[in-house]
Amino acid sequence: MSALHEPVLRWYDTSQRDLPWRRPEASPWSVLVSELMLQQTPVARVLPVHEQWLDRWPTPADLAAEPTGEAVRMWGRLGYPRRALRLHAAAQAIVERHGGEVPDDHAALLALPGVGEYTAAAVASFAFGQRHVVLDTNVRRVLARTVGGVELPAQHVTKAERETARELLPDDEATAATWSVAVMELGALVCTAARPRCTECPVASLCAWRAAGHPAYDGPPRKVQTWAGTDRQCRGRLLAVLRDADGPVHLSRLDAVWADDAQRVRSLAGLVEDGLAVRTDAGTYALP
């Protein structure tokens, strides 16, 4: 067993947050919904939407029976609304292929629409207690520091990074699943990107980055996402109008929320192309 295992697992046992998708009674569907919602979105923003989602659609079949537009509407302001379309498509596939039950097989999870390698591994681990490499941003950062001795991991997952994570997985399935979520929690609460709290870290004495004197990241410049004035912001404004309406919306109402004509036209066309909006009549638009 790695020297990292015991202190991290012991820390997690007393320091983990009480999150609904981690509770013993959480369904695999709750875990899958949370994983899609948590992509690029903070936990605090996800919590109320996750609760509303599970209240309305406690099973994949409940969501699959609804129009796609209702998933987009319920998604609210979480951002990256195509994730709502993916969840709806995944729910339909679960009903069609798996009798309405989220599959416990990694390959079957990976075959669901909108489910990639990380999400399939996370659901298999956190919902079914299996042994898989789960590499999100937090896990990668913890392993980069404790094992690799660098402040931040490479911008994309490398083969060596995945192998390191695999070697660190405890042999026991249940322990491996707990280890995966424990490292993730350590990265979210203590080994954070900007201001790591090394004095509170259960493995500070074992950390290669700390032993090296906390050398600063010296890799390629990391992209900083902008929001104000972007097509993403414009799309969000347009989608909010459609989401808040009871029926089709005239183009004039969409024109009123964004002044740049060319950007607005481009963004509206993008929403239609992505399946987040439909043209319902001459000059009117609605959720799908």
Side-chain angles (χ1 to χ4, degrees):
M1 176 178 284
S2 167
L4 296 171
H5 289 165
E6 184 180 350
V8 170
L9 292 171
R10 187 170 61 248
W11 171 86
Y12 179 71
D13 191 49
T14 59
S15 303
Q16 63 180 290
R17 289 170 291 181
D18 178 21
L19 301 176
W21 47 85
R22 290 187 187 163
R23 294 171 186 162
E25 68 272 17
S27 67
W29 173 238
S30 172
V31 176
L32 177 58
V33 171
S34 75
E35 287 299 335
L36 267 292
M37 288 185 173
L38 287 165
Q39 293 172 9
Q40 303 182 68
T41 307
V43 167
R45 292 184 60 203
V46 167
L47 281 168
V49 183
H50 179 272
E51 181 180 5
Q52 294 162 9
W53 194 283
L54 269 292
D55 283 345
R56 181 168 178 179
W57 300 309
T59 70
D62 295 318
L63 175 58
E66 293 267 22
T68 308
E70 287 305 300
V72 177
R73 192 188 309 279
M74 181 66 81
W75 197 257
R77 301 182 183 278
L78 278 184
Y80 301 99
R82 277 179 286 187
R83 292 179 293 169
L85 301 181
R86 294 170 189 153
L87 256 177
H88 188 273
Q92 290 181 320
I94 289 168
V95 170
E96 294 167 1
R97 304 174 194 171
H98 306 288
E101 299 292 332
V102 176
D104 61 2
D105 177 71
H106 179 271
L109 287 165
L110 193 56
L112 294 175
V115 173
E117 174 58 40
Y118 162 77
T119 303
V123 174
S125 297
F126 305 152
F128 300 108
Q130 297 175 11
R131 184 179 184 272
H132 294 280
V133 171
V134 182
L135 283 175
D136 81 334
T137 302
N138 289 315
V139 174
R140 296 182 64 216
R141 185 170 58 253
V142 170
L143 298 187
R145 290 173 178 173
T146 57
V147 180
V150 295
E151 182 182 17
L152 298 172
Q155 295 193 35
H156 303 287
V157 178
T158 65
K159 181 179 179 181
E161 186 179 5
R162 190 172 294 280
E163 186 56 36
T164 295
R166 193 182 316 279
E167 291 174 355
L168 278 172
L169 273 178
D171 293 331
D172 175 70
E173 279 206 324
T175 306
T178 304
W179 161 259
S180 293
V181 72
V183 177
M184 188 178 297
E185 190 77 334
L186 185 63
L189 300 182
V190 176
C191 194
T192 56
R195 290 180 292 276
R197 302 203 297 272
C198 295
T199 57
E200 301 174 28
C201 180
V203 291
S205 64
L206 302 173
C207 178
W209 183 54
R210 181 172 180 265
H214 301 99
Y217 173 76
D218 63 354
R222 304 178 86 86
K223 294 181 180 179
V224 178
Q225 290 188 335
T226 58
W227 171 250
T230 63
D231 282 7
R232 278 188 58 218
Q233 186 184 28
C234 180
R235 284 164 60 103
R237 292 270 183 89
L238 299 174
L239 196 58
V241 174
L242 301 179
R243 192 174 56 242
D244 294 341
D246 293 331
V249 172
H250 192 269
L251 185 59
S252 59
R253 290 180 58 189
L254 299 173
D255 291 344
V257 299
W258 198 265
D260 187 319
D261 291 341
Q263 190 175 27
R264 186 181 62 252
V265 169
R266 180 174 67 246
S267 297
L268 182 58
L271 290 175
V272 172
E273 183 178 354
D274 290 342
L276 291 164
V278 294
R279 185 167 181 171
T280 53
D281 201 348
T284 62
Y285 293 82
L287 294 178

